[in-house]
């Protein structure tokens, strides 16, 4: 069932900016594989993020740092094969764009060429301005990511709310303006006070897509595996769970085991 307010045949970066102009909220979810992407896309989601959260969700790492460019390209290619309507944005992984703009461009080109993705996402503000410009100059759309930026977890030390103090809030506002001016088409704003997020959304013409940033922004993003309850150890305040698939799946697996052990499965009808 699609609940999109307006039927867009194909979502582009321009569609998102128009949605903001028209006051239509943007929906975004993650996907890392073909089967999940097919369901998410056909549900009418606007943006699919092939997030580097795949490092946690798919590979079981503690942080997003270990995932490689090749692994991101593998995930993105699988997602792209499933897509008919959504815009697909792919995270540039840690270490592939921070050190120098030429390397950033090479990494972004590999993602676009080898996976067929529509845009890339990078974490950070003024410190990666030159890398962002270089990627944009090559015609590759860039989504920014400010606030809590998980690739910098060892600098922050915790995953708590960012920009609660004045200096950090001021820097964040400046970074958002810089990203807009540089030519980014949208910004993810993660785990910052709702009032600050709303101020930022009002200060720029490009969409601000929040995660733990309140309702005053232009759209929302969640990690799909969290919102459908496949993961259950992660319980931040901002997470709304729409399903409890961990329990549902565990029950199904339990029943299957019982049926196999008892000889109930397969029945006569389930064999040749
Ligand atoms: O990697 C990811 O899934 C993200 C979202 C949390 C925005 O960056």
């Amino acid at each position: 069932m699609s609940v999109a307010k307006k039927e867009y045949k194909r979502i582009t970066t321009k569609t998102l900016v128009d949605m903001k102009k028209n006051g239509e909220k943007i929906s975004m979810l993650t996907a890392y594989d073909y089967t999940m992407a097919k369901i998410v896309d056909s549900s009418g989601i606007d943006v699919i993020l092939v997030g580097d959260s795949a490092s946690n969700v798919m590979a079981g790492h503690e942080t997003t740092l270990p995932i490689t460019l090749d692994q991101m390209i593998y995930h993105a290619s699988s997602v792209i094969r499933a897509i008919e309507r959504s815009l697909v944005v792919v995270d540039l992984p840690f270490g592939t764009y921070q050190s120098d703009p030429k390397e950033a461009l090479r990494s972004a080109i590999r993602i676009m060429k080898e996976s067929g993705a529509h845009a890339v996402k990078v974490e950070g503000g003024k410190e990666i301005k030159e890398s962002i410009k270089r990627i944009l100059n090559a015609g590759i759309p860039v989504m920014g990511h400010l606030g809590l930026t998980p690739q910098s977890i060892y600098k922050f030390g915790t995953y708590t709310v960012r920009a609660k103090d004045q200096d950090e809030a001021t820097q964040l506002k400046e970074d958002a303006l810089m990203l807009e001016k540089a030519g980014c088409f949208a910004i993810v704003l993660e785990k910052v006070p709702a009032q600050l997020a709303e101020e930022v959304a009002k200060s720029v013409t490009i969409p601000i897509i929040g995660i733990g940033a309140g309702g005053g922004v232009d759209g929302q993003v969640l990690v799909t595996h969290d919102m459908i309850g496949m993961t259950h150890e992660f319980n931040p305040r901002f997470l709304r769970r729409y399903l409890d698939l961990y329990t549902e799946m565990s029950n199904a697996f339990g029943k299957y085991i019982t049926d196999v052990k008892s000889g109930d499965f397969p029945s006569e009808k389930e064999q040749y």
Side-chain angles (χ1 to χ4, degrees):
M1 181 187 63
S2 170
V3 288
K5 194 170 138 194
K6 204 166 156 183
E7 264 321 312
Y8 300 98
K9 227 171 147 213
R10 189 102 222 188
I11 305 291
T12 65
T13 55
K14 184 179 173 302
T15 318
L16 301 186
V17 178
D18 288 346
M19 282 175 161
K20 171 161 180 152
K21 227 181 273 166
N22 300 333
E24 181 177 351
K25 297 270 189 186
I26 296 162
S27 60
M28 173 161 147
L29 282 172
T30 56
Y32 320 111
D33 68 89
Y34 176 85
T35 305
M36 185 70 86
K38 194 134 192 106
I39 302 171
V40 175
D41 178 70
S42 63
S43 305
I45 207 78
D46 297 316
V47 186
I48 291 185
L49 173 66
V50 184
D52 58 0
S53 50
S55 179
N56 314 103
V57 178
M58 303 304 282
H61 292 297
E62 205 177 309
T63 72
T64 58
L65 275 64
I67 199 159
T68 66
L69 191 55
D70 283 338
Q71 287 165 340
M72 289 304 295
I73 290 169
Y74 168 78
H75 287 299
S77 313
S78 310
V79 167
I80 281 289
R81 283 194 281 274
I83 296 306
E84 287 184 15
R85 177 181 176 276
S86 320
L87 182 83
V88 178
V89 181
V90 181
D91 267 331
L92 278 183
F94 175 70
T96 66
Y97 62 97
Q98 293 95 341
S99 59
D100 97 86
K102 280 191 190 159
E103 194 197 1
L105 177 57
R106 271 196 299 275
S107 305
I109 287 176
R110 279 203 61 203
I111 296 228
M112 302 297 282
K113 241 186 188 328
E114 295 177 38
S115 76
H118 310 136
V120 297
K121 175 163 84 57
V122 291
E123 295 184 5
K126 65 176 185 337
E127 64 286 359
I128 55 160
K129 184 174 167 186
E130 294 312 314
S131 291
I132 291 172
K133 280 181 157 173
R134 185 64 74 110
I135 298 170
L136 285 163
N137 280 342
I140 299 172
V142 177
M143 177 181 270
H145 185 152
L146 299 173
L148 175 65
T149 46
Q151 291 179 11
S152 310
I153 182 58
Y154 291 117
K155 177 175 148 196
F156 297 143
T158 80
Y159 287 105
T160 53
V161 182
R162 305 300 313 169
K164 282 190 2 192
D165 70 66
Q166 199 51 53
D167 286 353
E168 200 181 331
T170 304
Q171 186 58 57
L172 192 146
K173 286 186 209 168
E174 283 173 19
D175 282 340
L177 291 172
M178 181 281 288
L179 292 176
E180 176 182 42
K181 195 161 167 232
C184 290
F185 68 91
I187 300 171
V188 163
L189 198 46
E190 180 163 355
K191 238 177 162 184
V192 299
Q195 199 188 325
L196 171 65
E198 187 169 352
E199 268 176 52
V200 172
K202 283 187 175 144
S203 74
V204 292
T205 56
I206 57 172
I208 300 295
I209 302 176
I211 173 163
V217 291
D218 308 302
Q220 299 294 328
V221 55
L222 285 175
V223 169
T224 299
H225 288 69
D226 295 335
M227 64 85 80
I228 61 176
M230 272 179 93
T231 53
H232 70 157
E233 316 82 4
F234 181 60
N235 285 301
R237 190 206 292 206
F238 67 75
L239 175 61
R240 185 178 293 182
R241 286 199 200 281
Y242 289 82
L243 287 171
D244 179 8
L245 276 193
Y246 190 95
T247 306
E248 295 272 321
M249 289 170 82
S250 300
N251 289 343
F253 299 149
K255 277 192 198 146
Y256 170 72
I257 294 164
T258 305
D259 290 351
V260 169
K261 301 265 181 204
S262 69
D264 181 69
F265 176 79
S267 67
E268 269 187 33
K269 278 189 189 157
E270 290 160 324
Q271 57 196 342
Y272 301 97

